[in-house]
Amino acid sequence: MPKILIVGGGYAGFYTAWKLEKWLRSGEAEVTVVDPLPYMTYQPFLPEVAAGSIEPRHAVVGIRRHLKKTRVIAGKVTGVNHDAKTATITPAAGEAWEESYDQIVITAGAVSRTFPIPGVADEAIGLKTIEEATAIRDRVLTNFDKAALLPPGPERDRLLTVVVVGGGFAGIEVFAELRSFVSALVETYPEIEFEDTHFHLIEAMGRIMPEVSLPTSLWVIKNLAERGAQIHLDTQLKSAVGGVIELSTGESFESDLIIWTAGVMATPDIKHYGLPLEERGRLRVRADLRVEGDDGIVEGAWGAGDVSAVPDLTGGGVGGYCVPNAQHAVRQGKLLAKNIVADLRGEGVKDYFHKNMGAVAGLGLGIGVFQSGKLAIKGLPAWFAHRGYHGLAMPSWERKFRVIWGWVNNFFLGRDNVSLEARVHPRAEFEKFAARPRPAAPAVEVPAAPASAPEPSPALVGAPASAPAPEAAVDGESSAPAAKAPRATKARTPKAAPAAE
């Protein structure tokens, strides 16, 4: 039976395996997914997770729960020898091994792309994983608890200042969602005024959200300004050392929360796979999602998602390629499954073609924007469109129900505002009070008795014969020098001899 190995369980990898389970006949092929994480993250929901509008576990899809016919391996593919059709798999526990395959699907995803700006690697946090979104939410809440006990001053301002670097969709959405979240938090902290909170977004280009029209992006800037959030256009981050933000405009301020959303890049692991890459480090694939080298198609190798440079046949992509987003990755995964099945059956494969129907973004509770061609919708209707689209796009009805039910609960009950930052070190409280065994007392080494009695030391001459027995020193009742004196006296004076006066 042919073996299909899928590297990565993100959007493209998960949907490829999910649809292969549906379209493959029984016994037609064996499918294996390798990913170090046991879930797929629905990344469009990360801004709402950071703002407490969605429960973190509801924004992820359990791989094992939904891929019932697929073999799932918790590990990483650390090397590929496509000539031998083998991949090196390093599991989460245990020794690495060589896995054979007939078809390999590279959907390893992307990571945050950063630049060597001083302080960014030490101070900033990305927004690519569910763990990062949860940490952002907890940091905001923990900082509010700290700031509520401090008098006005630099430290208080630092705790209440949020900085986002990058004005794309991800940056604007998390920026606006957090602004909405913090505005609601102020109502429960009488010690903190709305004017005490500060929001800064830094964008190197002259505009934000290139996916929407310029008038729509200007409306977003105006809306955020009215809500107390400042956007710095044509501005670069020069340094973030110690949380001190230094901008190319000369401005400087401090922040305890710096969120980096200024782009993504293909996962560096792909460099070890020995497959053809383009100049930006992405997998070279054709429009039908087959890997292509200098000599033509690489048989048995496929790619999709953020890790691959997929040609955009609509002509709307940046540089002629599909932009790395969830909308493309999901559709590419579905087509990839169809093409693999067609290839196994000797049928023709199809090219990927998807014309973007529009863009929608949530900007906090009750506020959103929608752009489709020249049509632009703003405010509450666009917010409903945002939630409706992503609520339906979430994989599986089980996940859809959890997310939508959470939104309904928040409408009536409000968002939770409790930080669980202590979860990062869950054993700290236990270790603090845990009883530990007392350290053993150091053993006192007793020297062996000499074979013949030595000459008495002048210090021992005249010592009374009734001095304590050596056993007392062994029991620790007397000091070491006192233990030596009776030993020397006993060797000099026989037990039967009368005591000297």
Side-chain angles (χ1 to χ4, degrees):
M1 191 163 53
K3 295 182 178 180
I4 302 171
L5 180 66
I6 301 175
V7 182
Y11 289 118
F14 175 82
Y15 270 92
T16 299
W18 204 24
K19 296 305 178 181
L20 282 175
E21 287 192 348
K22 177 180 179 182
W23 294 325
L24 283 172
R25 304 187 187 105
S26 178
E28 191 171 10
E30 175 187 316
V31 182
T32 300
V33 171
V34 183
D35 196 288
L37 297 175
Y39 52 79
M40 183 213 83
T41 303
Y42 191 74
Q43 292 181 4
F45 281 157
L46 293 183
E48 290 200 58
V49 171
S53 295
I54 293 179
E55 163 67 28
R57 290 177 299 173
H58 296 169
V60 299
V61 180
I63 294 177
R64 292 183 181 273
R65 176 165 186 167
H66 295 280
L67 299 182
K68 302 190 182 293
K69 302 176 185 178
T70 302
R71 178 186 173 212
V72 178
I73 298 176
K76 293 185 68 174
V77 173
T78 52
V80 174
N81 184 346
H82 192 64
D83 292 336
K85 296 291 183 71
T86 60
T88 302
I89 297 180
T90 303
E95 298 294 328
W97 76 89
E98 299 293 323
E99 181 82 12
S100 63
Y101 63 82
D102 297 289
Q103 306 268 352
I104 190 168
V105 178
I106 308 297
T107 56
V111 297
S112 296
R113 182 192 63 187
T114 58
F115 306 102
I117 300 172
V120 167
D122 302 316
E123 304 291 339
I125 185 172
L127 191 67
K128 285 289 294 178
T129 69
I130 195 69
E131 292 83 4
E132 289 173 326
T134 307
I136 290 170
R137 174 185 179 276
D138 287 341
R139 177 68 64 85
V140 170
L141 292 168
T142 299
N143 285 356
F144 255 69
D145 289 333
K146 293 177 180 178
L149 303 177
L150 293 175
E155 177 62 16
R156 196 170 190 258
D157 289 341
R158 184 180 70 88
L159 293 171
L160 296 177
T161 298
V162 176
V163 174
V164 176
V165 184
F169 253 64
I172 289 295
E173 284 193 297
V174 72
F175 186 65
E177 289 285 356
L178 288 178
R179 176 69 272 185
S180 174
F181 184 39
V182 167
S183 298
L185 275 181
V186 169
E187 300 176 3
T188 59
Y189 285 83
E191 307 90 345
I192 300 175
E193 300 291 336
F194 177 86
E195 293 74 16
D196 297 331
T197 61
H198 312 284
F199 277 73
H200 299 271
L201 184 137
I202 304 165
E203 171 53 48
M205 304 297 289
R207 60 163 299 178
I208 61 171
M209 304 173 74
E211 296 87 350
V212 303
S213 66
L214 182 59
T216 301
S217 69
L218 293 176
W219 180 89
V220 173
I221 294 175
K222 179 182 178 182
N223 177 269
L224 288 169
E226 293 171 350
R227 293 157 59 187
Q230 184 177 358
I231 295 179
H232 305 261
L233 297 178
D234 293 314
T235 304
Q236 296 180 354
L237 176 65
K238 290 295 185 182
S239 175
V241 175
V244 179
I245 304 298
E246 296 181 8
L247 304 180
S248 58
T249 58
E251 295 177 77
S252 180
F253 47 87
E254 294 188 36
S255 173
D256 193 57
L257 178 56
I258 305 168
I259 304 169
W260 182 273
T261 64
V264 297
M265 66 179 184
T267 176
D269 293 341
I270 196 171
K271 297 176 183 177
H272 307 300
Y273 294 172
L275 295 171
L277 307 178
E278 47 94 64
E279 59 273 10
R280 295 184 61 184
R282 297 176 296 178
L283 192 67
R284 288 173 57 185
V285 300
R286 295 162 50 98
D288 57 15
L289 307 179
R290 289 184 289 184
V291 176
E292 183 178 38
D294 294 335
D295 300 326
I297 296 173
V298 179
E299 293 294 338
W302 308 78
D306 295 355
V307 77
S308 300
V310 180
D312 190 343
L313 301 182
T314 68
V318 178
Y321 297 104
C322 296
V323 295
N325 61 22
Q327 189 175 151
H328 282 303
V330 168
R331 288 170 172 79
Q332 288 169 12
K334 294 177 180 179
L335 176 65
L336 185 51
K338 288 183 178 180
N339 281 351
I340 291 175
V341 172
D343 185 68
L344 290 174
R345 296 173 183 172
E347 302 170 0
V349 297
K350 296 181 179 180
D351 288 343
Y352 176 74
F353 183 94
H354 172 67
K355 187 175 178 60
N356 190 2
M357 299 302 295
V360 62
L363 304 176
L365 292 180
I367 306 172
V369 291
F370 171 78
Q371 182 85 46
S372 179
K374 295 183 179 181
L375 174 65
I377 302 175
K378 311 175 187 73
L380 185 62
W383 180 74
F384 277 116
H386 164 76
R387 287 208 160 177
Y389 171 79
H390 286 296
L392 293 176
M394 186 70 176
S396 84
W397 286 104
E398 176 258 339
R399 291 285 105 179
K400 289 178 174 59
F401 180 81
R402 289 181 188 272
V403 170
I404 296 173
W405 184 246
W407 283 335
V408 172
N409 284 338
N410 287 347
F411 179 80
F412 291 103
L413 305 177
R415 291 180 285 196
D416 285 331
N417 61 353
V418 177
S419 170
L420 296 178
E421 197 170 39
R423 82 197 186 286
V424 179
H425 303 289
R427 296 188 66 250
E429 191 72 8
F430 178 81
E431 290 179 346
K432 181 178 178 181
F433 299 104
R436 291 177 171 84
R438 294 182 179 180
V444 179
E445 184 177 350
V446 180
S452 59
E455 288 296 323
S457 171
L460 297 178
V461 175
S466 59
E471 286 78 3
V474 176
D475 291 340
E477 297 297 332
S478 60
S479 63
K484 293 178 182 177
R487 219 174 257 289
T489 304
K490 183 174 180 180
R492 182 172 56 85
T493 308
K495 226 177 185 184
E501 289 295 326

